[in-house]
Amino acid sequence: MAEPLDLDFDPIDRAASIWRERFGPSDAMAAATSIMRVQQLLIGEFDRICRPYGLTFARYEALVLLSFSRTGALPMAKIGERLMVHPTSVTNTIQRLESAGFVTREPNPRDGRGTLARITQSGRDAVGRVTTELMEAEFGLRALGGDDRKQVFDLLRGLRVAAGDFSD
């Protein structure tokens, strides 16, 4: 995890208190700010684990997605859809993975205009090593027990459904 801040107070709780005094109810602001802080902590931890393998967590996610596919290859548009990112981000991610030798790009035989990204053995090896380390780190959630992790997932899933990510 990131270096501890070792503050003698909770800055989000303090902000919530001031927010309440000046603007009104602060529960939504405090929850959203807490989610954003935890996201910073998790991405920092994930990138720290991925870095020695020449990856960022975003690139690792793309490799995992490719490793999950039956053939080890997916159309670029499908990668963007599944990772919920803009096509430009997918292009950049795949270009970087290709430069590192983790994927190859090839014409999509089903769509003459499209491109497939295919994971290489080197990419599969990197997924295996990074996944082992992420699992050992409990994906940065060691401070939460299994029931708490499930509860967090369920709560955040409701937000994703409400945002239209998928139908429940």
Side-chain angles (χ1 to χ4, degrees):
M1 283 302 248
E3 288 294 317
L5 296 177
D6 276 336
L7 301 174
D8 60 356
F9 68 97
D10 178 347
I12 295 173
D13 189 46
R14 171 91 43 94
S17 178
I18 295 167
W19 187 279
R20 257 189 315 280
E21 292 171 14
R22 295 196 181 161
F23 304 118
S26 62
D27 57 331
M29 181 282 297
T33 305
S34 292
I35 290 168
M36 296 302 293
R37 175 60 180 147
V38 170
Q39 190 260 357
Q40 290 173 339
L41 293 169
L42 292 176
I43 290 296
E45 176 74 356
F46 298 164
D47 282 345
R48 183 193 63 74
I49 289 169
C50 292
R51 193 173 301 115
Y53 302 99
L55 293 169
T56 62
F57 188 68
R59 291 179 204 148
Y60 166 78
E61 286 181 301
L63 287 176
V64 169
L65 179 63
L66 291 171
S67 76
F68 284 171
S69 71
R70 284 188 312 274
T71 64
L74 287 171
M76 300 282 279
K78 185 65 73 180
I79 295 170
E81 178 184 305
R82 299 267 170 86
L83 295 178
M84 297 175 278
V85 297
H86 191 274
T88 304
S89 295
V90 174
T91 300
N92 180 280
T93 296
I94 297 302
Q95 284 174 341
R96 302 237 180 181
L97 289 170
E98 185 177 38
S99 294
F102 294 137
V103 301
T104 58
R105 285 188 287 177
E106 57 193 57
N108 185 343
R110 293 185 179 183
D111 173 6
R113 298 169 296 145
T115 301
L116 295 176
R118 180 176 304 280
I119 191 168
T120 64
Q121 187 57 52
S122 178
R124 288 184 188 282
D125 293 344
V127 166
R129 290 189 301 272
V130 172
T131 300
T132 296
E133 289 195 37
L134 286 168
M135 296 286 290
E136 287 171 0
E138 297 182 47
F139 277 84
L141 297 176
R142 188 170 279 129
L144 299 178
D147 290 342
D148 288 340
R149 293 175 195 175
K150 173 74 169 109
Q151 188 175 10
V152 168
F153 172 80
D154 290 342
L155 288 168
L156 296 177
R157 187 175 195 273
L159 291 175
R160 296 182 301 122
V161 169
D165 279 357
F166 59 94
S167 301
D168 197 13

